[in-house]
Each structure stands twice: as C-alpha cells, then as structure tokens.
C-alpha cells in the first residue's frame, strides 16, 4: 500500500518545494499528484511554454525518491485563452456562459478548446513521458456529464440524436412528442432539457441528453488518452471520479484509461440515526466494480472541508488512519491525501489539508505520519484482491432515469443499493458493485434493485444467471421503461414477470407514510415509499402486506426458475428488513455470515489465493470488541489474538 499527497507547487514559494519534499519523504509519503490546475503557469501565453519550474519540482521529488502522478491541466484553461476564444466557455442551463476565473468552465465539446487541450497535453507528455519519476497521468479533474448548453453542444446533441435515431420522425416517435404539442418539425428545435421547469421536460429527451453528455465526457478522455499514448505508449492513465449532480457513466468513462481513481471524502459528522448510511464502504466497492479490480484514491479527506460552504467538522482522532485503511480494505492500493498544505489563497483556503495555515504539523499530520508507518508494514497486502460471493448491480441509466422521475416521496435509487450493501456488510461479507452487463456467473447471490429502464442485454444477463442456478433479488420499479424512457404497455414487471413468477396488479406510491409487512416467519417490518401489490403465478409469498386494502397480498415473493431462484421485493423497508432478508439469502446460498458484529464494525477480506487477510474497521465512535473463532496474527503489530479490540475508527488486519 502506498500513501501519497496532492501538492500544488504553483501555489507556494519555490523555496518551500525542497523542504516539503524532504518532509514528505521523511514521513513515508511515496507518491505525489501535481499539476492538474496549473495550465496558466505552464503556458503563460498562447504557444509559449514554461516547464522550467515543473522540471525543478519533478527533479526535487525524484531526488527524494518520490514518484509523481502528473495532472493534465485541462480543467482550468488560462484566462488569455477565454479572452481570445469566448466560445469555449461552458454555458449554464440559464443559457448564460459561466463566469471565468473559477474552474471547470471549459466546454469539452469545443473544437477550439480541444486543439489547445491536446497541445498542452502533447507538450507535457513529450517533456515528461520518459521521465521515470512520472509513473502515472491524471486526465483533467473530477469529470462530469456536463449539461453544457453552448451552440456547439446543441449542434452536437442534435447530430448525436439523428445519428442514433436516423430521422426526425423517429425522434418524435421515440420521445412521444405528441404530448403538449412537442412535435419537432426541424432538428433546430431540439434543445438541451436543462431549462426551467426542469421536471416538466420530456423524460425521453432528458435520458438521451444524459447519455449524450456522458458519452461526450468519455470521448474527451479517449481523445486525450490517445494523445498521451501516441507519445508514450506505456503511460499509466487515469482520471479521478467523484459523485456529483451530473455523475457520468463511470463504466464508459474509465474504459479508455488503465485504472480507476476516486476522490474519497467520508463524512466527519456521524449520524446517530441507525437508518443513515454514512459509511463510504459503498462508494469504495462501487469504484472497485467499475473495472472489476483494485483502484486508487487520488484525493483523501485530510481535514475540515468547506469555504464555499460552511466548514465540516474536523476529522476525529482515528479517522485519518481509519478511513485510509478502510479504502485499502475495499481495494484501494494507493491512498493520496488531499492536500499536503492548506491553501492560503483562493476559494479553497478553508478546505484543509494535512498541514494548517500556520505551516506547523499538528494532530492530523501526526496521525497521517502514523498511517504512512502502518502502510509500510503492509507490503504483504500488495498482491491481494477482493473476491466476493455477492454482487449488487449499479446502472447509470437507471440511476439517471429515476432522478428524472423520482417515483415517490423519499425515493432514491442509490439509497436502495446502499440498504442492501449495508445488510451484507452487517455480516462481514465482501460485496461487489457491478454493471448490469457484468459476468455474474461467479456470484452466489446477485441483487438487482430497480431495473427501471429495459436493456435487452442486461435482462438476458439476469435470466441467464438464474437459469444457470443463481439466486437473484429484484425489486420494485423493474421493467417499467423501454430504452427510450417511455412506459411499456404490459403488466408489470413486464419482461421480468416470468422470471419472478408474479405480476403487479396495482401499486401504491405511499411516500413517507409507513405501513408494515409480515414475512413467512411472522416477523413484522416497516415499509414505505412504494408498495407493489403482487399476484402470484408460479412464485410463493415471502412476505405480505399487513395494512390497508391490500392487506394479505404478497409484498415479497420467491420463485424457483430453472436451476435458480428469483426473489422480488415490491416495497422499500428499513434496515432491519434488509438485514433479515439478506441474512436468509446468505444462509440459503451458503455465503458465510459473521453474526453479532457490533454496529459500525466493517469486515472485509483480501486474498492472494494462498492467504486471506481479514480487515476489521470500527466505523463508529463507540469502542468495539470482536471475538475471533481462533487465535490469529495481526499483521499490524505481529501479535496473535483471539479477540479484537477496536477504538473508535480503530483498525486491525489479521492473517486467517
Ligand atoms: C475535490 C477536487 C479538489 C478539491 C477538493 C476539495 O472535489 O478535486 O480539487 O476541490 O475537492 O475538497
């Protein structure tokens, strides 16, 4: 495991670079990410480049044995470029170009911007492509599916639609534009669906626009990666992911690069509500699932964040080490902390790094130094990976379509995924989060929540999995929409009816109201948001509704189908239901369960095929104690123990 830091040499006096690099090396830092916002320093005026300072910085890091991840600085074009070419500025949903002088204000579809972006990329790679200190490249920063409304994006969107649908008539049909006199008589009438009132925009158009913007971002990464690879075929490429209002399709985004990176900012204020899922284990598993292998953290929480908003509480003692090792436990092999020094100027001056404004290392820094020390003892983990027997399906299309039309009060696609994830985590099981088209054959149980928008290959994948003996769980709002995001004219859950052996006679979007269901063993659980009233065809009832006019109708079903089993959960419950339900699925499918784990304790296993390493992380403020079935050696302090005592955010790793 490698620990790193994000560093902004352009923000500090050059006399500090050596001092900083020396302290980094002494602390145990192995890798430094630099440069992702430094375009104006690298190209101070059109076509004149200044790499002298970057040569010095990279030379200093090399001298101290630190490796560099070099950022392609295309997130922040210099102001001279905007002045010369105002058409490259991103245009907001209000159709007004966004204010320059901030960041991410470029339109990635602008041909002029691309010419300049490729040139600076090429210059950087020519200069540093063969420099052994530069071991990887980050393209841009936290890319989104930007809903840009500039003339170029409008033109491209129309072209994309006509390419996909062939004729305007087909677009009208696909979008069902007879509603509200929305029929297009010319391509020029099609506009990005971002204007007020957004919720009244055509859902078919909205989903296509999301797909388009997502594909544009992936194409942008591809174009820049091709420039890098042309100059330096062996370059290791990445871009850093984050969740935002415009989260792109990560599966497409990372297609063209070598590894996934994630910006990990777990919360520092913990909720006391047992229903609040604050653990970042879910996001980490999702990142690992994008390429189905280990990944890196490119930015990791180091202090209170904010400035543009109220500052968050500072990380509590234990969080810096704990969250760093939690990332390792879920497949991150490198954890780079954001940032070495806290900025003293600019919008992020209160987004705290490891070292505060005073420049004097304090509590958080020393905890970070401890993390570096711990990481240096964990080389045995380097060749390990996470093998899971359970998977949860994450689909960007379903997520987006359900954001366009949230279905009921409190309804959230991601929340439902997290509920299932948390249930597996309560039993200390590894869980993968994978694409709907992933190979599912290795999993004993697969959860496919809210398969809202139909895609032939994904539906076939689920059928195939069950036919071959898998245990599948589907949930409410599946099979509702066709590929165009329009409703199917068939009994729900349409294409999945045969698989689940039941049909929906009626549904009740109860929103925040609470009702109850009773399972086959008489256990009662609260349900909310949504109630599918089911009629069994070949399935059996697992749980029934307990209130109202659909009392005694099935709410959760179980169907044997070919060699496998398909469950359907027609409602949304609280965590106690998912824990009980997932517990039963694990028992039936033979996925081992650790029972009685204290709340907040997360257990994952990494393996190299010979040895298993079990990670224990106490993601809570209450000390926890776990009894092991037999004595095991901790690889953190090399002491054998049969009981693990964890402080708040405490950690241990044992060899099984
Ligand atoms: C990230 C971003 C960084 C910095 C950080 C602050 O989203 O990539 O540049 O802004 O947040 O928390």
């Amino acid at each position: 495991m490698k620990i790193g830091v994000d560093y902004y040499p352009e923000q500090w006096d050059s006399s500090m670079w050596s001092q900083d690099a020396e302290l980094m090396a002494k602390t145990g830092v192995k890798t430094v990410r630099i440069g992702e916002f430094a375009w104006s320093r690298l190209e101070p005026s059109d076509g004149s480049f200044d790499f002298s300072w970057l040569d010095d910085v990279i030379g200093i890091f090399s001298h101290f044995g630190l490796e560099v991840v070099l950022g392609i600085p295309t997130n922040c074009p210099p102001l001279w470029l905007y002045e010369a070419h105002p058409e490259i500025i991103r245009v907001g949903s209000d159709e007004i170009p966004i204010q320059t002088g901030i960041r991410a204000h470029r339109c990635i579809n602008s041909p002029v911007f691309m010419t300049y972006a490729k040139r600076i990329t090429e210059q950087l790679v020519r200069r540093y492509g063969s420099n052994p200190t530069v071991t990887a490249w980050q393209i841009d920063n936290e890319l989104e599916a930007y809903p840009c409304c500039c003339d170029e994006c409008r033109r491209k969107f129309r072209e994309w639609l006509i390419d996909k649908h062939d004729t305007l008539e087909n677009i009208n049909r696909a979008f069902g534009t007879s509603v509200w006199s929305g029929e297009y008589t010319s391509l020029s009438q099609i506009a990005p669906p971002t204007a007020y009132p957004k919720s009244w925009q055509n859902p078919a158009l909205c989903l296509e626009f999301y797909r388009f913007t997502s594909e544009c971002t992936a194409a942008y990464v591809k174009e820049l990666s091709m420039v890098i690879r042309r100059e330096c075929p062996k370059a290791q490429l990445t871009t850093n992911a984050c969740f935002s209002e415009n989260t792109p399709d990560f599966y497409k985004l990372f297609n063209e690069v070598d590894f996934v990176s994630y910006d990990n900012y777990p919360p520092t204020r913990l909720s006391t509500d047992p229903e609040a899922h604050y653990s970042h284990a879910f996001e980490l598993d999702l990142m690992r699932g994008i390429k189905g292998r280990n990944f890196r953290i490119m930015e990791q929480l180091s202090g209170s964040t904010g400035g543009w908003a109220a500052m968050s509480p500072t990380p509590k003692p234990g969080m810096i080490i704990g969250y760093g090792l939690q990332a390792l436990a879920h497949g991150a092999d490198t954890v780079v902390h954001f940032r070495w020094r806290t900025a003293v100027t600019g919008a992020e001056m209160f987004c705290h790094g490891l070292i505060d404004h005073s420049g004097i290392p304090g509590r958080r820094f020393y905890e970070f130094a401890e993390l570096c020390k711990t990481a240096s003892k964990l080389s045995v983990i380097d060749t390990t990976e996470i093998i899971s027997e359970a998977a949860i399906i994450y689909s960007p299309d379903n997520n987006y379509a359900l954001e366009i039309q949230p279905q009921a009060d409190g309804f959230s696609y991601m929340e439902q995924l997290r509920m299932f994830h948390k249930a597996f985590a309560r039993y200390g099981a590894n869980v993968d989060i994978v694409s709907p088209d992933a190979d599912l054959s290795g999993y004993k149980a697969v959860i496919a929540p809210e398969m809202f928008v139909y895609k032939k290959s994904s539906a076939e994948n689920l059928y195939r999995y069950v036919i071959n003996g898998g245990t599948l769980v589907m949930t409410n709002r599946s099979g509702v929409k066709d590929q165009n995001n329009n409703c199917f004219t068939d009994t729900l859950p349409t294409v999945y009816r045969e698989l689940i052996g039941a049909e929906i006679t009626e549904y009740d979007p109860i929103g925040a109201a609470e009702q109850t269901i009773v399972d086959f063993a008489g256990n009662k659980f609260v349900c909310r948001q949504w109630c599918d009233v089911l009629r069994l065809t070949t399935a059996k009832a697992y749980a029934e509704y307990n209130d109202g006019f659909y009392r005694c109708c099935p709410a959760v079903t179980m169907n044997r189908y070919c060699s496998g089993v398909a469950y359907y959960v027609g409602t949304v419950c609280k965590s106690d239901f998912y824990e009980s339900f997932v517990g039963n699925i694990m028992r039936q499918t033979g996925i081992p369960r650790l029972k009685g784990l204290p709340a907040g304790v997360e257990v994952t296993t990494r393996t190299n095929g010979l040895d298993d390493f079990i990670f224990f992380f106490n993601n809570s403020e209450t000390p926890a104690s776990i009894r092991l079935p037999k004595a095991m050696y901790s690889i953190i302090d090399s002491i054998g123990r049969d009981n693990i005592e964890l402080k708040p955010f405490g950690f241990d790793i044992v060899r099984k």
Side-chain angles (χ1 to χ4, degrees), residues 6 8 33 36-37 75 103 138 140-142 240-243 263-265 298-301 303-306 308 338-339 348 351-352:
D6 297 304
Y8 298 90
R33 182 197 63 177
E36 79 276 15
F37 298 127
N75 193 273
R103 65 179 189 184
Q138 175 187 302
D140 211 292
N141 191 69
E142 294 193 335
N240 52 337
C242 77
F243 291 89
D263 293 351
N264 190 34
Y265 292 93
M298 203 51 95
E299 294 180 17
Q300 171 85 358
L301 174 86
S304 170
T305 58
W308 58 84
F338 183 88
R339 43 192 277 164
E348 293 202 330
C351 212
H352 292 77

Side-chain angles (χ1 to χ4, degrees), residues 278-537:
Y278 60 82
S279 173
H280 258 44
F282 173 80
E283 280 80 359
L284 298 168
D285 285 340
L286 196 151
M287 288 298 136
R288 193 183 66 252
I290 295 171
K291 277 192 175 291
R293 57 176 183 265
N294 291 356
F295 61 101
R296 296 191 199 181
I297 300 293
M298 203 51 95
E299 294 180 17
Q300 171 85 358
L301 174 86
S302 301
S304 170
T305 58
W308 58 84
M311 281 184 253
S312 64
T314 192
K316 297 181 173 48
M319 278 184 171
I320 296 219
I321 297 199
Y323 284 150
L325 294 176
Q326 180 196 30
L328 172 71
H330 290 271
D333 285 336
T334 298
V335 176
V336 177
H337 275 251
F338 183 88
R339 43 192 277 164
W340 177 250
R341 283 182 183 277
T342 309
V344 291
T345 58
E348 293 202 330
M349 61 174 81
F350 294 117
C351 212
H352 292 77
L354 293 164
I355 302 176
D356 289 335
H357 294 140
S358 67
I360 302 168
R363 173 187 66 86
R364 297 192 317 280
F365 180 86
Y366 290 112
E367 193 174 313
F368 170 76
E370 196 57 39
L371 171 65
C372 292
K373 215 155 121 202
T374 307
S376 70
K377 294 187 221 152
L378 301 181
S379 52
V380 71
I381 304 294
D382 287 352
T383 52
T384 61
E385 55 178 350
I386 292 167
I387 309 284
S388 306
E389 293 183 308
I392 299 172
I393 286 176
Y394 163 70
S395 147
D397 248 22
N398 290 335
N399 187 19
Y400 206 75
L402 286 162
E403 266 173 24
I404 297 168
Q405 295 178 298
Q407 306 292 289
D409 200 12
F411 194 95
S412 157
Y413 172 75
M414 291 306 266
E415 215 34 48
Q416 195 166 134
L417 266 67
R418 285 166 167 279
M419 297 277 232
F420 278 104
H421 184 269
K422 187 181 170 197
F424 280 106
R426 288 293 290 135
Y427 296 106
N430 289 350
V431 195
D432 288 349
I433 300 178
V434 298
S435 124
D437 293 325
D439 175 5
L440 304 175
S441 59
Y443 298 112
K444 288 184 173 161
V446 171
I447 317 285
E450 293 168 357
M451 297 298 287
F452 192 55
V453 180
Y454 169 74
K455 189 174 163 215
K456 190 165 182 277
S457 58
S458 313
E460 284 171 358
N461 200 26
L462 297 185
Y463 266 92
R464 191 178 322 117
Y465 171 67
V466 179
I467 287 169
N468 291 333
T471 295
L472 176 72
V473 177
M474 300 200 69
T475 77
N476 59 322
R477 308 318 280 145
S478 291
V480 178
K481 298 286 196 106
D482 63 18
Q483 254 297 292
N484 292 320
N485 206 14
N486 296 320
C487 287
F488 275 123
T489 51
D490 194 2
T491 303
L492 291 168
T494 64
V495 286
Y496 299 112
R497 240 173 26 225
E498 180 182 329
L499 183 59
I500 69 156
E503 55 188 35
I504 296 160
T505 57
E506 178 171 12
Y507 53 69
D508 191 3
I510 60 172
E514 293 193 347
Q515 297 185 175
T516 50
I517 58 170
V518 183
D519 75 6
F520 64 93
N523 301 308
K524 219 189 223 184
F525 302 98
V526 168
C527 72
R528 58 218 164 122
Q529 295 174 15
W530 192 272
C531 297
D532 276 333
V533 181
L534 290 148
R535 192 179 73 76
L536 306 175
T537 50

